[in-house]
Amino acid sequence: MKAAVIVFPGSNCDRDMKVAIEQSLGTSPIMVWHGDSELPDTDLIAVPGGFSYGDYLRCGAIAGNSPIMREVVKKAAAGTPILAVCNGFQVATETGMLPGALLRNANQKFICRDVHLKITSQNNRFSGAFKVDDVIRFPVAHHDGNYFADDETLSRLEDNGQIAFKYSDEDGTVSSKTNINGSCNNIAGIYNEAGNILGLMPHPERLISDQLGGTDGKLFFDNLINSLN
Amino acid sequence: MTEITKEIVAEHGLSESEYERVLSILGREPNRTELGIFSVMWSEHCSYKSSKKWLKTLPTEAPWVICGPGENAGVVDIGDGQAAIFKMESHNHPSFIEPYQGAATGVGGILRDVFTMGARPIANMNALRFGQPDHPKTRHLVSGVVAGIGGYGNCMGIPTVGGETNFHSSYDGNILVNAMTVGVAETEKIFYSAAAGIGNPVVYVGSKTGRDGIHGATMASAEFDDDSEEKRPTVQVGDPFAEKLLLEACLELMATDYIVAIQDMGAAGLTSSSFEMADKGGVGIRLDIDKVPMREEGMTPYEVMLSESQERMLMVLKPGSEEAAQKIFEKWELDFAIIGEVTDTGKMILTMHGEIVAELPVAPLADAAPEYDRPWVKTVAPAPIKASDVSPVKDLGNALLTIMGSSEVASRKWIWEQYDHMVMGDTIQRPGGDAAVVRIHGTDKALAITTDCNPRYCYADPEMGGKQAVAETWRNLTATGAKPLAITDCMNFGNPERPEIMGQFVGCIEGMREACIALDYPVVSGNVSLYNETKGVGIHPTPAIGGIGLISQSDHMATIAFKSEGETVLLVGDTSGDLGQSIYLKEIEGREEGAPPVVNLDVEKRNGDFVRDSIHSGLVTACHDISDGGLAVALSEMALAGNIGANVSIQSDLPSHAICFAEDQARYVITTTATNAEKLLQNAQKCNVPLQNIGTTGHNELKIENTLAISIKDMRHVHANWLPDLMTVPGHE
């Protein structure tokens, strides 16, 4: 199996993503520079976190209109699995691959800490390591993770089982208290309708060993790589 | 040409005698550009004219030191062909005037100092001092500074892994923002700043030059007054995205062998970088100002040379490599311009529109930089305050809660949650412990990093305070299991022209010197920030120390959290019970009085070496040094981190309030399994280290027999909420 990680000027979780994929896959993903005209054929494309193009204008806006993302959108439409984390999630909403938008955190501050996430729908490819209602722990690190979509979109996401994770407490209670950034319905991550694109604000690539404080991210990547192999 | 009047000289911060020296070096009157260059090169900030004499007394060598002070940052060997490169620097004055940009560009500047030398930065730290919590400006300043530090480091993708924050009225009019960066390079690939090779191209890379930050270095060398607000235009504006590109482009270029010398443009911009490169290389440099990439039209040579626009570098390249180097910068969409060449004239010659606009001899200007032996008076050390001099309060449990929820001890989580402290995937000890620990990528080694200083101690007794600051960083590194390697110092003081302030500086340096020698822990880089005064009132002397230590196997690491119930709690070190300058005295009695605790460096080393060896032998399950707030605070912090309580009882003739809250030095709390406790006690006896079994972990409260019992829940409540409560404006959020 082959994986690719897209690198924009200003990406800064590209190496972390590479390390996490390497750990589960055993080989290195292809690092694709935004300026490269060809996107290689792979079984997984990861759009990592960071501040692509400085996040000028609006988070992910410039990257969302970049030539390489047009290629990513094509591959996604053809069914290639896409993992879009943090800034990658923002970029994915800017391209329209995923519905909604990520606004500034409700408290107006950057938030970096571990959060609890409740698994809210089953997608064996991305969350097969967990069951619905399981609670896992990933870190967040973002200034603009406040997920917004109109009511119609939200009910469609809920009805179709497109909501991957919701911010919860340790016991799986989802409430305004556990909503760290003001996201609609406590949404931390969503799938597209076809289920081959996952966009999420939390960083699974940051908790991939006990030494780093937890292994839920390792379980996530092990399952993802296995399911694509 | 403008005639240089007395007023113009004074505006440039040069004294009459300094101007006389300018005239004798040049043998003529300078023009305005030349005067501007003298002014920044001889500013306190760039020339260290008041501090040099004393800085020279600090020890700077050890077998593992590759490069001490004088370069952009200090370099120490960490084995396997790798080096750690680090420095701490102040950005106090700009941060007070414009907190977000001041703090952000402080981070940007220190990052450049480190990657200029070939290192990839792996961690940022900071040491912050604000005015008293209820001062009308404090909230605004805390909020802006923290956002600025986060805004820059988060975008760069360098984790900000910790630091320290104090609140004290002495900083009401003059906050301190000290930023530290640690990077890692290959020992064979370290880059220096000495220009060489007559005819070699001098290249400018990075962002364009604008009119921002002109005279920043001069501003940083003067006191504040009512007009300080007007200095806002001298604060630079940061662009972390540009710096991220500059970092990647420079590291890509550094992987080639094209670079002869490289220097970042920090304080005093192009002037300071070009003079330093020429002076260190013993050469001349010719610069064509027209070729400097400029953001604005119509900039004068004066403005170009003195601009402190951010995210710029100057380099000397090997001839013939220009095109290949340019390609790298084009890839990263950064300016790349050949703006001059290295010459054998020994002069800095600047031309614009084909005419010479400045012609200055390099060596005389640098060598003749003033050096002052400022008059100083020794601070009279106050008498110690014995436990018996302080009548105990009735409810020591309440006293503990007051202290845990005080400005000194309360959790700083509100701050560090705004910093991305995990990016790069190697943070194995997050903020909140004794030191942050960051793995060296792809290895099993790690660096422990800490910043410390107790300004109250330094104010009461500069010598003891300076000694204590160094010893505390050493102890914090030791408590993680690291072998302390070296320090960087960021010396923040008031006006050195006042003998009592100069005396504080001299005292702190002397204490630091003794500690560095005794602990084999040299100074490899640093920065001096003087004139931290507003309307004649100086700050507490604040020699902020940044220390780094090496953990050669990452499983040889300790953290402060109690790990499980039923473990044995041990106290390392002796307790005299003195309460002078303690947090107990400040928070419970409302007094900042007495002598700070005595630092005995032999005991410090003996106890620390024992603790580190014990961690390495695998016998220690948790470790925390005892500092601000004493034993009761240390135990509380361990309980909070592990969410497990403890029941302890201390054998001592001292009164309970002294046992709980005295800040005696060279002490640690360690835990071990019940089966290993005896072994540790025996080892300690062999090493002549005082070690006392004081109790057991367990339950959900901290109980000190016959003294206090406080639930973790109550403790967490006061500890966690103080800072968020302070920062929440009623009616907002």
Side-chain angles (χ1 to χ4, degrees):
Chain A
M1 162 201 167
K2 284 197 296 184
V5 177
I6 308 292
V7 186
F8 294 104
S11 293
N12 64 30
C13 302
D14 45 327
R15 189 183 83 179
D16 303 356
M17 183 65 83
K18 175 174 177 264
V19 169
I21 292 174
E22 266 168 8
Q23 179 179 291
S24 296
L25 181 59
T27 57
S28 298
I30 306 162
M31 305 304 280
V32 182
W33 178 242
H34 77 113
D36 296 354
S37 47
E38 292 261 326
L39 183 58
D41 269 323
T42 58
D43 309 290
L44 172 70
I45 298 171
V47 189
F51 291 70
S52 55
Y53 298 95
D55 275 344
Y56 291 137
L57 187 60
R58 196 170 60 236
C59 292
I62 302 175
N65 286 293
S66 65
I68 195 79
M69 280 314 292
R70 282 200 283 278
E71 296 303 309
V72 173
V73 170
K74 274 187 215 161
K75 299 266 186 196
T80 303
I82 313 286
L83 172 64
V85 175
C86 198
N87 190 232
F89 186 16
Q90 295 161 344
V91 173
T93 60
E94 287 288 338
T95 63
M97 282 196 293
L98 291 171
L102 292 143
L103 312 179
R104 183 126 294 202
N105 294 343
N107 72 355
Q108 303 294 315
K109 289 184 186 66
F110 192 94
I111 303 171
C112 178
R113 65 160 182 256
D114 286 357
V115 295
H116 289 103
L117 301 169
K118 181 174 174 160
I119 309 288
T120 42
S121 62
Q122 198 66 39
N123 177 311
N124 288 334
R125 184 185 283 146
F126 287 107
S127 63
F130 318 110
K131 299 186 303 289
V132 170
D133 291 341
D134 277 0
V135 178
I136 61 171
R137 184 166 54 90
F138 288 163
V140 293
H142 61 245
H143 210 155
D144 300 79
N146 177 355
Y147 183 78
F148 176 83
D150 57 43
D151 291 343
E152 199 188 313
T153 308
L154 289 173
S155 28
R156 201 175 65 234
L157 290 174
E158 294 274 5
D159 296 347
N160 290 350
Q162 282 176 249
I163 297 171
F165 315 105
K166 287 187 177 182
Y167 299 111
S168 74
D169 66 12
E170 213 171 342
D171 306 319
T173 305
V174 175
S175 71
S176 60
K177 267 194 192 160
T178 66
N179 192 347
I180 56 161
N181 53 23
S183 291
C184 291
N185 299 13
N186 282 48
I187 290 172
I190 57 171
Y191 300 110
N192 64 335
E193 215 171 313
N196 66 317
I197 306 173
L198 169 62
L200 74 167
M201 288 314 297
H203 290 268
E205 78 279 11
R206 291 189 179 190
L207 277 187
I208 55 168
S209 69
D210 286 326
Q211 214 175 32
L212 292 172
T215 53
D216 284 349
K218 181 180 187 306
L219 296 174
F220 173 89
F221 278 99
D222 283 350
N223 169 74
L224 176 61
I225 303 296
N226 274 334
S227 72
L228 296 174
N229 248 333
Chain B
M1 199 180 288
T2 336
E3 204 185 326
I4 304 297
T5 61
K6 266 190 178 173
E7 289 71 34
I8 294 178
V9 172
E11 269 171 29
H12 281 78
L14 288 172
S15 70
E16 275 180 37
S17 68
E18 286 168 351
Y19 186 63
E20 286 299 319
R21 202 177 299 196
V22 170
L23 294 177
S24 88
I25 287 173
L26 291 183
R28 61 174 166 85
E29 240 186 33
N31 64 32
R32 210 170 170 130
T33 304
E34 291 167 337
L35 181 72
I37 291 172
F38 272 103
S39 137
V40 293
M41 290 302 290
W42 287 2
S43 68
E44 188 68 58
H45 190 81
C46 292
S47 73
Y48 297 94
K49 57 192 170 194
S50 303
S51 57
K52 220 187 296 180
K53 174 185 159 75
W54 300 102
L55 294 175
K56 283 180 196 160
T57 66
L58 291 169
T60 59
E61 286 172 2
W64 52 89
V65 173
I66 294 174
C67 175
E71 274 292 335
N72 284 297
V75 185
V76 295
D77 197 324
I78 53 170
D80 309 308
Q82 292 178 312
I85 301 187
F86 69 105
K87 188 181 178 184
M88 178 155 46
E89 204 162 67
S90 61
H91 227 213
N92 305 334
H93 294 79
S95 301
F96 184 74
I97 296 174
E98 170 51 53
Y100 185 97
Q101 291 298 343
T105 54
V107 174
I110 195 64
L111 280 164
R112 275 195 306 286
D113 276 336
V114 166
F115 71 77
T116 305
M117 297 196 73
R120 179 173 284 282
I122 62 164
N124 286 324
M125 296 281 287
N126 51 72
L128 311 176
R129 323 279 163 189
F130 297 103
Q132 50 192 333
D134 57 0
H135 187 275
K137 273 198 166 160
T138 296
R139 229 176 353 213
H140 156 74
L141 291 168
V142 172
S143 159
V145 165
V146 170
I149 289 172
Y152 210 98
N154 298 348
C155 180
M156 286 289 290
I158 317 288
T160 302
V161 292
E164 54 165 351
T165 308
N166 286 144
F167 299 86
H168 192 276
S169 57
S170 85
Y171 307 105
D172 279 355
N174 207 310
I175 63 171
L176 302 183
V177 175
N178 299 167
M180 172 173 171
T181 294
V182 183
V184 171
E186 291 171 36
T187 49
E188 296 302 308
K189 280 288 213 179
I190 293 167
F191 292 82
Y192 297 99
S193 57
I198 307 306
N200 279 354
V202 175
V203 174
Y204 170 119
V205 296
S207 298
K208 293 186 200 307
T209 297
R211 287 193 169 99
D212 47 333
I214 292 173
H215 276 314
T218 319
M219 172 182 81
S221 307
E223 288 180 34
F224 275 158
D225 52 32
D226 286 332
D227 301 328
S228 294
E229 282 289 314
E230 287 171 16
K231 292 187 174 160
R232 200 184 293 268
T234 59
V235 178
Q236 314 85 325
V237 176
D239 179 354
F241 175 58
E243 179 127 316
K244 167 73 173 164
L245 302 183
L246 187 62
L247 163 68
E248 298 302 336
C250 285
L251 291 180
E252 202 171 316
L253 182 63
M254 285 162 168
T256 68
D257 61 352
Y258 301 154
I259 299 176
V260 176
I262 179 164
Q263 166 82 37
D264 83 299
M265 296 192 218
L270 191 51
T271 294
S272 159
S273 56
S274 56
F275 268 89
E276 274 175 36
M277 292 179 87
D279 183 44
K280 284 194 181 130
V283 294
I285 283 182
R286 185 189 58 73
L287 295 180
D288 184 354
I289 307 260
D290 297 307
K291 300 220 169 103
V292 173
M294 286 178 238
R295 202 186 297 153
E296 304 167 54
E297 281 181 19
M299 286 184 70
T300 63
Y302 179 93
E303 290 170 329
V304 173
M305 291 307 288
L306 299 190
S307 160
E308 290 192 3
S309 290
Q310 300 289 292
E311 294 92 23
R312 304 179 299 160
M313 293 273 192
L314 197 65
M315 1 190 235
V316 174
L317 293 182
K318 286 186 185 163
S321 66
E322 297 91 332
E323 212 174 305
Q326 182 160 10
K327 274 213 176 100
I328 294 173
F329 283 84
E330 276 170 2
K331 172 188 164 187
W332 294 98
E333 297 177 28
L334 291 166
D335 273 301
F336 176 100
I338 299 167
I339 62 167
E341 61 173 354
V342 178
T343 66
D344 60 2
T345 59
K347 286 181 181 175
M348 180 71 56
I349 297 179
L350 310 176
T351 61
M352 193 171 193
H353 309 319
E355 279 177 28
I356 293 180
V357 293
E359 183 171 350
L360 298 166
V362 173
L365 192 150
D367 297 344
E371 183 175 334
Y372 296 129
D373 184 2
R374 304 251 190 226
W376 58 280
V377 290
K378 195 174 158 70
T379 309
V380 182
I385 296 180
K386 298 278 163 205
S388 51
D389 301 335
V390 182
S391 52
V393 290
K394 238 190 211 152
D395 188 342
L396 286 173
N398 251 339
L400 176 60
L401 285 177
T402 304
I403 289 170
M404 290 304 287
S406 70
S407 68
E408 299 279 353
V409 176
S411 170
R412 270 51 176 153
K413 195 169 164 190
W414 184 92
I415 294 175
W416 51 256
E417 277 193 353
Q418 295 184 57
Y419 304 148
D420 189 337
H421 49 269
M422 300 178 226
V423 64
M424 293 182 87
D426 284 309
T427 306
I428 57 174
Q429 225 181 106
R430 298 182 188 179
D434 280 327
V437 181
V438 179
R439 232 172 14 196
I440 311 291
H441 193 66
T443 76
D444 192 37
K445 293 187 297 187
L447 288 178
I449 314 166
T450 182
T451 60
D452 294 288
C453 175
N454 188 323
R456 273 179 295 111
Y457 291 180
C458 293
Y459 182 69
D461 181 346
E463 203 172 314
M464 197 58 83
K467 204 185 282 185
Q468 195 275 342
V470 172
E472 180 157 359
T473 63
W474 189 88
R475 201 182 309 137
N476 277 329
L477 299 174
T478 295
T480 67
K483 180 193 180 316
L485 294 175
I487 63 168
T488 179
D489 56 14
C490 196
M491 309 291 292
N492 309 275
F493 289 79
N495 181 347
E497 294 162 42
R498 290 180 20 211
E500 67 275 21
I501 301 288
M502 203 56 215
Q504 293 173 343
F505 187 84
V506 172
C508 285
I509 290 270
E510 176 53 24
M512 287 163 56
R513 189 182 72 83
E514 285 173 32
C516 289
I517 291 171
L519 301 171
D520 211 1
Y521 186 44
V523 180
V524 296
S525 59
N527 160 247
V528 177
S529 171
L530 301 175
Y531 298 96
N532 289 290
E533 301 211 355
T534 301
K535 295 183 197 168
V537 181
I539 58 163
H540 272 9
T542 313
I545 307 296
I548 68 162
L550 181 66
I551 295 178
S552 45
Q553 274 173 267
S554 57
D555 59 351
H556 282 178
M557 181 180 85
T559 65
I560 70 166
F562 285 148
K563 299 300 179 304
S564 47
E565 306 224 342
E567 294 199 329
T568 305
V569 183
L570 300 150
L571 169 63
V572 182
D574 281 324
T575 308
S576 75
D578 284 8
L579 288 168
Q581 297 300 335
S582 65
I583 289 182
Y584 178 85
L585 202 63
K586 175 171 184 264
E587 296 297 329
I588 307 301
E589 299 273 322
R591 296 196 277 152
E592 292 178 38
E593 290 168 15
V598 174
V599 179
N600 179 326
L601 293 163
D602 293 333
V603 172
E604 195 70 64
K605 185 150 187 355
R606 185 193 66 197
N607 292 3
D609 289 347
F610 166 77
V611 166
R612 192 178 320 104
D613 289 346
S614 304
I615 294 170
H616 291 185
S617 64
L619 297 173
V620 173
T621 51
C623 179
H624 191 10
D625 89 305
I626 301 177
S627 57
D628 291 353
L631 174 64
V633 168
L635 289 167
S636 301
E637 288 170 343
M638 297 176 87
L640 285 174
N643 208 23
I644 295 170
N647 189 344
V648 304
S649 157
I650 295 115
Q651 304 301 316
S652 168
D653 299 333
L654 291 165
S656 297
H657 63 302
I659 292 171
C660 289
F661 301 111
E663 296 176 8
D664 286 278
Q665 302 290 294
R667 297 188 305 160
Y668 304 78
V669 176
I670 58 180
T671 61
T672 187
T673 56
T675 41
N676 284 332
E678 192 49 41
K679 203 167 179 186
L680 273 174
L681 287 163
Q682 283 168 10
N683 290 351
Q685 204 166 20
K686 273 185 231 154
C687 306
N688 209 13
V689 169
L691 184 68
Q692 198 187 140
N693 180 340
I694 58 169
T696 314
T697 60
H699 309 292
N700 51 14
E701 64 174 12
L702 173 66
K703 189 168 178 191
I704 300 179
E705 286 295 340
N706 303 319
T707 306
L708 58 85
I710 299 290
S711 75
I712 292 181
K713 194 175 158 221
D714 290 347
M715 208 182 266
R716 194 180 301 286
H717 182 77
V718 292
H719 186 246
N721 288 344
W722 179 79
L723 190 50
D725 286 351
L726 175 71
M727 297 306 297
T728 306
V729 185
H732 293 74
E733 294 193 45

